[in-house]
């Protein structure tokens, strides 16, 4: 059982969970994730470790309430417990001094980006951050990221904050300078659009893939994704991959494979709690 | 054949009834049936049957107790060698192990050793587990932790459980580290409850815990702790029993379409995560009406029979050789046929086609014929030219085999790995290239059987004891 220390809202529908696990906290590196299960009947879901607190033996997870499990997670309070938490999973990102790096975070992908930004900064890179979201109120960690960045940009789809448009609009202008690495984390369509820009320019580009996972330890192939001519398991070979070879179209289909069942689960859950967001947090 | 020579068949539920749920198919012997069956044993002076049992149960002795009606005596006898008798009695391929060597086999039908083992284990559970007194007296271990030496076991499948049980009995302090949320390995996530009820798995693992074994779940060794970390935590020896959990695919076009599963994913969703109880349980499974399981081992048969129970209307096994070469147990093939699973033999899928939503809707297959025997001694399948045909299917389960779990091996480069991913060990002692680190089960053999994994776990336990005695 894993104790919840904090579970609070950062932005509408986006929450920060701090949970105790001294063993994982000791080992986890940027880019790695955990798989959790709330209770006996729960589903195993993967979430990135956004930050860690060695002094408390705990780690932070930032998650968006999109379906049944993340909604249920949002209802748990301080002092409650998660049944299962396993990690750290996946390969750590390759942190080194590359030179100038553009880091792009879309939506809740910003959470995955944060530990990378910290680590890349520490390794002596020049950091250019671009954060994008639908609208102003959905941003989180922006002050923290701005402080770590040499250049910092924000885009919103509706123009309510920063530049109106997509992260990729900004990326086009920024790639006129010499860029050594691009790392993009966000919705699959966003990462695909980033690749569309950086591939012809031959800029080394990494993406972090959110495939559907089950065990997260390499034994089921639920998370498989085609990269070049090879089939990879995102949970052990990734989740970070070089973007130019990823078959995004296949992955977009694969991520919808349980949409019917997900809708059933969410409906039942919503009916049970009157379709309201949990009042507790 | 005189009446006494006729083997008592296993009582089972009717096919039509049993495909409606995930409850056990076999019902087990009654006391009378068990005693009659036990009386068929000739009590051989040189019992060959024992040679066929990798954990060396004293089979004639066990059977003698049963014949006398002393079921407690019988189970105690079995448990001296085998910590998982109710499991082995259900899933051991007895026909190729103990029963294959039984002297009565030549005269017709061997003694039903597996059925008898199952009977006494279940009898013990139903007659004694409610009695606290019995549990304390019969199941507690006088030796518990007496040696004060810590040993780590990685993986809680049959190999790890057996190694841990034996070491605990010798007086070691044993901790099992398991990456999944529940212990048991394939017994938990692979073999479906209609062959091995989860109550039985729980019960036998509880017994091992009672011997003093500590099981820590959610611990993926290699990621959360390295072998060196474990040595630093004062574990004096380590056993690796991480199994063959890496699913193989055929690498044919369309294999990543939706509703194409590895058997591991399909079975884990169902058996470990209880997707068959969706939406009461959250883990989903999408299973269509026309399902094909590719392969012909226990894994393929289990997948096919699970699909039936999820409500599929047409379930086929597609296999590139003939029925004779099918590696699954005879009983499983028979049960699958009774339940309506169709066999497409001498057939090989070569491509899957997609509908507009990215789901599989058709398979293209080719017909095969059998040529000369290959390295495995089975006749090699050869494609017949221009024999392509198409099959409508909406779900595929790929069950063509599993390779050893690579994760821990990759994160520990000092461990030597052979061509097919198997961990290399000393054949006698089962010691790996690292001093004090031993291994057994599917991780060294590739996908094999429960009882072979247990035999290896047992052998490793005695090697570990020797290793520590010498230190
Ligand atoms: C390596 C990795 C790291 C991730 N990190 C984060 C994170 O830091 N913050 C965050 O908010 N989200 C993260 N995700 C996504 C998160 O796992 C899903 O949002 C979550 O599983 C949705 O579950 P649900 O029941 O609430 O929604 P559902 O209604 O079940 O699903 C909503 C969508 O989420 C995806 N999804 C569903 N089940 C799974 C599953 N078992 N595994 C992966 N994806 C699934 C599907 O695309 C689905 O359409 C990560 C995913 C991966 C693979
Ligand atoms: C569907 C199916 C049906 C089968 N039917 C039969 C049958 O009827 N009869 C029969 O005799 N055999 C059968 N088998 C084969 C048999 O189950 C295996 O040979 C046996 O379970 C192997 O035991 P093991 O202990 O070596 O490994 P496993 O049972 O695979 O256990 C390994 C355990 O180690 C854990 N693990 C892996 N890596 C790590 C790590 N890094 N850290 C911590 N834990 C880890 C895994 O999660 C797993 O729990 C079947 C197999 C399958 C898949
Ligand atoms: S454990 Fe298996 S091989 Fe040994 S006696 Fe029992 S059924 Fe036979
Ligand atoms: S070989 Fe057969 S008949 Fe002889 S002791 Fe063993 S079980 Fe009995
Ligand atoms: S989630 Fe099972 S192999 Fe990656």
């Amino acid at each position: 059982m894993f104790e919840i220390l904090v579970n609070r809202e950062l932005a509408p529908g986006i929450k920060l969970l701090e949970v105790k696990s001294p063993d994982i906290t000791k080992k986890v590196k940027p880019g790695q994730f955990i798989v959790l299960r709330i209770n006996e009947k729960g589903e195993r879901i993967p979430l990135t470790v956004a930050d860690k607190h060695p002094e408390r033996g705990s780690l932070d997870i930032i998650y968006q309430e999109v379906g049944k499990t993340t909604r249920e997670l949002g209802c748990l309070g301080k002092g409650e417990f998660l049944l299962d938490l396993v990690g750290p999973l996946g390969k750590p990102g390759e942190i080194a001094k590359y030179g100038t790096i553009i880091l792009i975070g879309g939506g809740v992908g910003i959470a995955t980006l944060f530990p990378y930004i910290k680590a890349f900064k520490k390794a002596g890179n020049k950091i250019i951050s671009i954060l994008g979201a639908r609208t102003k109120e959905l941003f989180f960690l922006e002050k923290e990221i701005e402080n770590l960045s040499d250049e910092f940009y924000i885009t919103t789809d509706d123009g309510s904050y920063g530049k109106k448009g997509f992260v990729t609009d900004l990326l086009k202008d920024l790639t006129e300078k010499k860029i050594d690495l691009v790392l993009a984390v966000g919705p699959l369509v966003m990462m695909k659009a980033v690749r569309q820009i950086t591939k012809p320019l031959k800029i080394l580009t990494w993406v972090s893939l959110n495939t559907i996972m089950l065990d997260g330890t390499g034994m089921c192939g639920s998370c498989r994704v085609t990269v070049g001519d090879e089939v990879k398991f995102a949970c052990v070979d990734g989740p970070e991959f070089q973007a130019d070879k990823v078959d995004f179209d296949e992955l977009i289909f694969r991520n919808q494979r349980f949409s019917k069942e997900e809708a059933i689960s969410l409906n039942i859950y919503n009916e049970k709690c009157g379709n309201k967001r949990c009042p507790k947090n | 054949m005189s009446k006494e020579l006729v083997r008592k068949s296993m009582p089972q539920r009717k096919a039509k009834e049993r495909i409606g749920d995930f409850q056990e198919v076999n019902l087990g012997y009654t006391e009378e049936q068990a005693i009659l069956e036990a009386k068929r044993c000739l009590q051989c002076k040189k019992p060959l049957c024992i040679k066929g049992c990798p954990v060396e149960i004293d089979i004639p002795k066990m059977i003698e107790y049963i014949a006398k009606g002393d079921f407690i005596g019988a189970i105690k006898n079995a448990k001296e060698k085998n910590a998982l008798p109710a499991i082995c009695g259900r899933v051991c391929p007895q026909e190729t192990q103990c029963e294959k060597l039984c002297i009565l086999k030549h005269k017709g039908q061997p003694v039903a050793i597996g059925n008898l083992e199952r009977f006494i284990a279940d009898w013990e559970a139903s007659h004694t587990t409610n009695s606290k007194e019995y549990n304390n007296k019969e199941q507690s271990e006088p030796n518990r932790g007496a040696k004060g030496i810590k040993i780590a076991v990685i993986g809680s499948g049959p190999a790890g459980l057996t190694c841990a049980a034996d070491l605990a009995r010798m007086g070691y302090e044993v901790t099992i580290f398991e990456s999944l949320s529940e212990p048991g390995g394939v017994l938990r996530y692979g073999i479906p409850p209609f062959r091995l009820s989860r109550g039985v798995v729980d019960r036998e693992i509880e017994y091992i815990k009672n011997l003093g074994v500590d099981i820590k779940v959610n611990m993926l060794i290699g990621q959360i702790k390295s072998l060196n970390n474990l040595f630093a935590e004062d574990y004096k020896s380590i056993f690796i029993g991480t199994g063959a959990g890496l699913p193989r695919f055929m690498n044919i076009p369309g294999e990543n379409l939706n509703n194409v599963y590895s058997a591991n994913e399909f079975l884990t969703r169902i058996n470990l995560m209880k997707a068959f109880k969706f939406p009461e349980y959250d883990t989903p499974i999408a299973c269509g009406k026309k399902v094909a399981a590719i392969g012909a081992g226990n894994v393929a048969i289990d997948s096919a029979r699970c699909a039936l129970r999820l409500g599929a209307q047409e379930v086929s096994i597609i296999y590139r050789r003939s029925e004779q070469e099918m590696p699954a147990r005879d009983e499983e093939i028979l049960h699958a046929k009774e339940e309506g699973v169709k066999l497409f033999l001498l057939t090989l899928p070569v491509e899957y086609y997609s509908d507009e939503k990215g789901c599989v809707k058709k398979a293209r297959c080719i017909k095969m014929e059998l040529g000369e025997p290959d390295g495995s001694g089975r006749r090699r399948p050869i494609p017949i030219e221009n024999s392509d045909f198409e099959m409508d299917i909406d779900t595929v389960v790929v069950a063509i085999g599993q390779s050893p779990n690579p994760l821990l091996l990759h994160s520990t480069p000092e461990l030597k790995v052979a061509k097919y991913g198997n961990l290399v060990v000393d054949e006698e002692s089962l010691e790996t290239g690292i001093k004090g680190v031993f291994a057994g089960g599917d991780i060294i053999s590739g996908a094999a059987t429960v009882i072979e994994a247990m035999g290896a776990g047992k052998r490793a336990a005695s090697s570990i004891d020797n290793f520590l005695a010498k230190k």
Side-chain angles (χ1 to χ4, degrees):
Chain A
M1 301 286 273
F2 300 85
E3 191 186 350
I4 294 171
L5 304 180
V6 174
N7 197 12
R8 69 181 159 90
E9 192 162 81
L10 296 179
I14 295 178
K15 285 180 176 162
L16 180 143
L17 175 81
E18 184 182 342
V19 56
K20 204 157 169 158
S21 174
D23 282 336
I24 299 178
T25 305
K26 232 181 271 167
K27 284 274 175 167
V28 67
K29 297 206 173 74
Q32 290 188 301
F33 62 97
I34 52 89
V35 161
L36 65 77
R37 185 168 68 140
I38 297 175
N39 54 35
E40 226 290 289
K41 294 186 177 174
E43 184 181 8
R44 297 168 68 97
I45 65 161
L47 295 165
T48 307
V49 178
D51 210 347
K52 58 181 176 182
H53 309 284
E55 70 289 359
R56 292 197 288 278
S58 64
L59 43 94
D60 286 352
I61 288 159
I62 296 174
Y63 62 99
Q64 185 167 23
E65 295 172 299
V66 290
K68 152 90 205 275
T69 304
T70 43
R71 286 281 307 275
E72 194 175 2
L73 194 59
C75 274
L76 298 176
K78 183 178 152 68
E80 291 191 83
F81 291 86
L82 301 175
L83 179 58
D84 297 310
L85 185 68
V86 55
L89 302 175
K91 285 194 177 139
E94 286 172 32
I95 305 299
K97 185 161 177 179
Y98 292 85
T100 304
I101 307 181
I102 298 185
L103 293 125
I104 306 170
V108 74
I110 296 169
T112 306
L113 206 62
F114 183 58
Y116 276 109
I117 297 180
K118 281 212 282 192
F120 278 134
K121 177 79 187 176
K122 209 169 154 199
N125 294 283
K126 181 175 177 204
I127 306 288
I128 303 176
S129 306
I130 313 176
L131 307 185
R134 236 174 336 103
T135 185
K136 177 169 184 193
E137 58 175 358
L138 293 177
F139 285 94
F140 56 92
L141 289 179
E142 70 201 271
K143 280 280 152 299
E144 289 86 339
I145 292 176
E146 187 172 8
N147 288 339
L148 291 165
S149 306
D150 299 286
E151 288 178 39
F152 178 73
Y153 304 92
I154 286 223
T155 66
T156 45
D157 299 5
D158 63 2
S160 56
Y161 191 29
K163 199 170 169 217
K164 180 175 159 72
F166 299 121
V167 290
T168 38
D169 302 338
L170 263 174
L171 180 63
K172 271 185 219 133
D173 304 339
L174 290 169
T175 48
E176 276 163 20
K177 287 181 271 179
K178 182 178 170 295
I179 301 299
D180 299 293
L181 174 69
V182 170
L183 172 67
V185 193
L188 289 172
V189 281
M190 181 204 97
M191 293 191 281
K192 187 180 165 190
V194 166
R195 192 257 307 265
Q196 238 57 326
I197 294 173
T198 59
K199 195 172 174 176
L201 300 172
K202 299 204 167 62
I203 302 174
L204 177 62
T205 303
W206 292 92
V207 287
S208 183
L209 297 181
N210 46 325
T211 58
I212 293 185
M213 294 186 180
L214 179 59
D215 58 304
T217 69
M219 59 154 256
C220 78
S222 170
C223 61
R224 62 195 191 276
V225 39
T226 305
V227 183
D229 329 316
E230 280 180 277
V231 175
K232 300 279 190 186
F233 288 2
C235 68
V236 286
D237 301 322
E240 191 188 289
F241 290 97
Q242 214 165 306
D244 57 337
K245 297 186 195 128
V246 171
D247 186 340
F248 281 103
D249 297 332
E250 176 185 278
L251 189 53
I252 289 170
F253 267 137
R254 282 190 67 73
N255 271 13
Q256 294 162 7
R257 61 200 175 105
F258 299 115
S259 45
K260 207 174 92 198
E261 290 77 12
E262 286 155 5
I264 294 174
S265 265
L266 185 58
N267 275 342
I268 295 176
Y269 185 73
N270 278 342
E271 264 166 37
K272 220 169 60 187
C273 52
N275 211 0
K276 282 195 301 278
R277 209 168 258 134
C278 185
K280 260 199 261 175
N281 300 296
Chain B
M1 210 182 284
S2 85
K3 208 170 171 199
E4 287 67 41
L5 283 181
V6 180
R7 178 174 151 128
K8 289 278 156 292
S9 58
M10 171 59 84
Q12 61 187 51
R13 294 162 68 210
K14 292 219 163 49
K16 239 188 152 153
E17 174 199 326
R18 68 195 194 222
I19 59 169
D21 59 41
F22 277 77
Q23 314 272 309
E24 279 198 330
V25 166
N26 288 341
L27 298 168
Y29 284 158
T30 61
E31 291 185 10
E32 294 70 41
Q33 287 169 325
I35 291 172
L36 281 175
E37 181 62 25
K39 285 187 171 153
R40 291 180 59 229
C41 170
L42 305 179
Q43 292 295 320
C44 305
K45 284 266 140 35
K46 284 188 188 150
L48 295 173
C49 51
I50 301 183
K51 290 202 167 65
C53 173
V55 296
E56 297 172 343
I57 296 184
D58 188 345
I59 297 168
K61 191 113 224 139
M62 168 182 95
I63 297 180
E64 196 183 6
Y65 280 118
I66 301 175
K68 287 191 303 202
D70 179 0
F71 305 136
I72 298 254
I75 187 65
K76 272 199 199 156
N77 178 272
K79 277 191 172 172
E80 264 171 38
K81 296 291 171 121
N82 184 350
L84 308 171
I87 291 169
C88 290
R90 284 168 167 80
V91 302
C92 254
Q94 295 102 13
E95 63 278 16
T96 58
Q97 301 282 345
C98 51
E99 294 180 15
K100 182 182 174 188
L101 299 181
C102 171
I103 196 86
L104 282 181
K105 185 167 163 103
H106 308 299
K107 297 199 188 157
Q109 297 166 311
V111 176
I113 303 169
N115 291 353
L116 289 173
E117 192 177 348
R118 169 189 166 129
F119 166 77
I120 50 167
D122 288 359
W123 190 93
E124 183 196 35
S126 57
H127 287 75
T128 59
T129 41
N130 294 332
S131 141
K132 232 191 176 136
E133 212 178 311
Y134 176 85
N135 283 344
N136 290 342
K137 198 160 120 251
E138 303 295 330
Q139 308 215 345
S140 72
E141 200 42 58
N143 261 342
R144 185 183 283 223
K147 285 200 162 86
I149 298 174
K150 281 168 56 172
I151 296 172
V153 169
I154 307 171
S156 65
L161 288 172
T162 305
C163 185
D166 276 24
L167 289 166
R169 284 192 175 124
M170 294 173 197
Y172 292 99
E173 281 175 34
V174 189
T175 305
I176 300 184
F177 296 92
E178 167 57 49
S179 59
L180 289 173
S181 54
E182 282 163 271
V186 170
L187 308 173
R188 182 75 66 181
Y189 75 76
I191 302 180
F194 53 82
R195 284 215 285 135
L196 176 64
S197 85
R198 291 307 176 258
V200 168
V201 179
D202 289 343
R203 190 169 89 210
E204 301 217 309
I205 289 176
E206 203 49 45
Y207 169 71
I208 289 175
K209 286 188 188 162
N210 277 338
L211 295 174
V213 174
D214 184 23
I215 304 183
K216 291 194 192 314
V217 294
N218 291 319
M219 295 293 256
L220 182 62
I221 303 300
Q223 296 280 98
I224 194 152
K225 289 178 197 291
S226 64
L227 297 187
N228 281 334
N229 292 149
L230 290 173
F231 280 127
E233 288 175 20
D234 214 30
Y235 291 98
K236 296 295 186 207
S237 180
I238 298 174
F239 174 75
I240 302 175
T242 46
L246 178 70
R248 283 193 211 131
F249 288 93
M250 293 170 67
N251 298 317
I252 58 176
E255 222 173 9
N256 287 347
L257 288 172
N258 292 351
N259 281 11
V260 180
Y261 296 88
S262 77
N264 272 3
E265 181 185 354
F266 193 70
L267 293 170
T268 301
R269 285 185 181 276
I270 296 170
N271 299 324
L272 180 71
M273 304 309 296
K274 307 201 170 70
F276 66 94
K277 294 189 188 164
F278 179 88
E280 183 198 345
Y281 281 71
D282 290 337
T283 304
I285 188 146
C287 180
K289 296 290 169 213
K290 291 187 174 184
V291 183
I294 317 299
N298 286 325
V299 186
I301 305 272
D302 282 340
S303 305
R305 297 175 70 197
C306 280
L308 272 179
R309 286 161 173 78
L310 291 176
Q313 278 152 13
E314 246 181 82
V315 180
S316 323
I317 296 270
I318 301 184
Y319 182 43
R320 62 195 176 125
R321 302 186 210 237
S322 72
E323 186 165 348
Q324 210 182 334
E325 287 83 17
M326 287 178 77
R329 294 187 57 198
D330 296 346
E331 184 184 37
E332 308 316 324
I333 299 173
L334 182 71
H335 281 173
K337 282 187 184 168
E338 285 170 5
E339 291 169 6
V341 173
K342 293 205 183 73
L343 303 184
F344 277 84
L345 300 166
L346 293 165
T347 306
L348 181 75
V350 288
E351 180 167 9
Y352 302 113
Y353 299 110
S354 168
D355 69 8
E356 66 288 353
K357 289 185 185 148
C359 289
V360 61
K361 68 163 184 190
K362 253 189 215 310
R364 184 163 63 85
C365 301
I366 50 174
K367 282 294 200 185
M368 311 292 275
E369 60 191 350
L370 292 181
E372 295 300 306
D374 63 11
S376 72
R378 294 177 299 177
R379 292 177 63 194
R380 186 196 305 275
I382 306 166
I384 302 174
E385 260 181 70
N386 299 322
S387 63
D388 301 38
F389 69 101
E390 287 184 356
M391 243 173 111
D392 287 339
I393 42 173
D394 56 16
T395 305
V396 175
V397 184
V398 183
I400 57 163
Q402 294 105 242
S403 310
N405 253 340
L407 191 130
L408 177 63
L409 311 187
H410 286 171
S411 68
T412 318
E414 303 92 308
L415 293 171
K416 223 176 114 202
V417 176
K419 196 168 143 203
Y420 295 105
N422 304 21
L423 174 53
V424 178
V425 293
D426 178 84
E427 275 182 32
E428 283 292 310
S429 67
L430 302 183
E431 189 165 19
T432 65
I434 306 176
K435 224 173 152 275
V437 178
F438 297 77
D442 283 2
I443 188 74
I444 64 166
S445 61
T449 61
V450 170
I451 192 65
E452 282 169 88
M454 292 178 64
K458 209 168 195 45
R459 221 145 38 94
S462 94
S463 296
I464 288 173
D465 189 39
N466 282 338
F467 166 78
L468 292 171
K470 268 190 245 143
K471 264 179 87 170

